[in-house]
Amino acid sequence: MSKITVIGSFVMDLIGIVNEFPLAGQTVIGKSMKTFHGGKGANQAVSAARLGGKVSMVGMVGNDDYGNTFKFLLKKENIDMSCVLTSQIEPTGVGLIQVNRLGENKIVVIPGANYEYSINDLEAVKEQIKKSGIVITQLELKHEVTFRLINLCDELNVPIIVNPAPAIKIQEEYYSKITYLTPNETELGILSGISIKNMEDVKRAIKELLNRGVKNVVVTLGSKGAIIGTQGGFQYVEGFKVNVVDTVGAGDAFNGALAYGIANKNKKLLEVVKHANAVGALSVTKRGAIPSLPTKEQVSCFVNYHKKLTTT
Ligand code: RIB
């Protein structure tokens, strides 16, 4: 099993549980409020670590209670936190989240210390990146840092997963340096410039990204599963039927599992995505991002249970 380096965000999620999302200008009375550790970077690191991955995290927290608890909790998950810096200027990032009765979410991230992390800080962890079997990143650090990271991985010949969330348009020159690009359908639409209404649009958009030079495109389709696109064609992975409680962090559960599977070099991408799909599905059955991430044992129980259902 090779080393996984996650370069990304720490965000403390303040989650309001509501029946319906308020409309613009409307006030609604919520049901309850929860505070959970999150942030796409931290979520993906914990997802990979709970499955048994050897994970190092790179990023920045604030010099405050939220930051201290992140350091403590992720160390407890066996994640190497020696490359996590502490900002003396900005507080730990915060997420203002609403989850409705269907488990859908709306998220505003206030980046705080995540946006203090600089290109110079990244250059200082070059050796760490060099030793990685796979690097995974998202778009919750400053974009200039992410783009430098893509170039750095290319220079060092280290494969990189880019989870383009929250999505922005990425300049043409970076696509050929991305080993795995993992948008959801909305993000796929933003990146490709193609409006996604059905599976044909999904395939057209994937082809567009492959033509720009991405090696592997893996699109998460929510309850519908996932689709892999490479120069060799498409492979579809079916979704699981589960009781959806809270979708916060489901994409991160999937992406962390993808990094874990890729770090385990003996597996084919299709097998890796099937496993990641189960991890993502299981995560929506519980509240919160990090608290909802399953362990290796929970995933194998879940997969076996569903196998039995489909064979009886
Ligand atoms: O992907 C879910 C995550 O997005 C949340 O944990 C929130 O912090 C935002 O970063």
Side-chain angles (χ1 to χ4, degrees), residues 2-8 45 54-58 83 125 128-138 149 158 161 259:
S2 61
K3 212 164 142 65
I4 302 163
T5 301
V6 182
I7 303 185
K54 249 179 86 189
V55 182
S56 293
M57 177 89 199
V58 173
C83 293
V125 296
Q128 165 75 37
I129 294 173
K130 226 189 226 170
K131 285 187 267 166
S132 312
I134 185 83
V135 164
I136 178 163
T137 196
Q138 318 75 29
L149 174 64
V158 174
I161 302 172

Side-chain angles (χ1 to χ4, degrees), residues 9 11-13 37-40 43 95 97 107 109 140 248-249 252 289:
S9 56
V11 176
M12 190 59 91
D13 292 340
H37 292 79
K40 298 184 195 299
N43 296 343
I97 303 184
I107 305 181
V109 170
E140 284 188 335
V248 176
D252 301 329

Side-chain angles (χ1 to χ4, degrees), residues 178-200:
I178 298 176
T179 332
Y180 302 91
L181 186 65
T182 60
N184 63 20
E185 286 167 274
T186 312
E187 292 152 1
L188 179 67
I190 295 171
L191 294 177
S192 64
I194 292 171
S195 134
I196 310 288
K197 291 180 286 307
N198 52 43
M199 274 308 270
E200 280 319 301

Side-chain angles (χ1 to χ4, degrees), residues 72-90:
F72 176 76
L73 282 176
L74 268 62
K75 264 188 210 150
K76 259 183 58 185
E77 301 279 351
N78 291 321
I79 295 171
D80 170 22
M81 295 287 280
S82 58
C83 293
V84 173
L85 304 177
T86 306
S87 170
Q88 300 304 329
I89 304 166
E90 289 289 335

Side-chain angles (χ1 to χ4, degrees), residues 19-39:
N19 270 326
E20 307 284 346
F21 295 130
L23 302 172
Q26 188 191 12
T27 301
V28 297
I29 304 291
K31 293 173 76 176
S32 62
M33 143 90 191
K34 313 253 180 225
T35 304
F36 289 132
H37 292 79

Side-chain angles (χ1 to χ4, degrees), residues 259-280:
Y260 164 75
I262 290 168
N264 182 348
K265 294 203 157 72
N266 305 320
K267 293 232 167 108
K268 290 225 165 78
L269 185 57
L270 179 62
E271 286 316 302
V272 170
V273 172
K274 277 186 182 167
H275 178 255
N277 191 38
V279 176

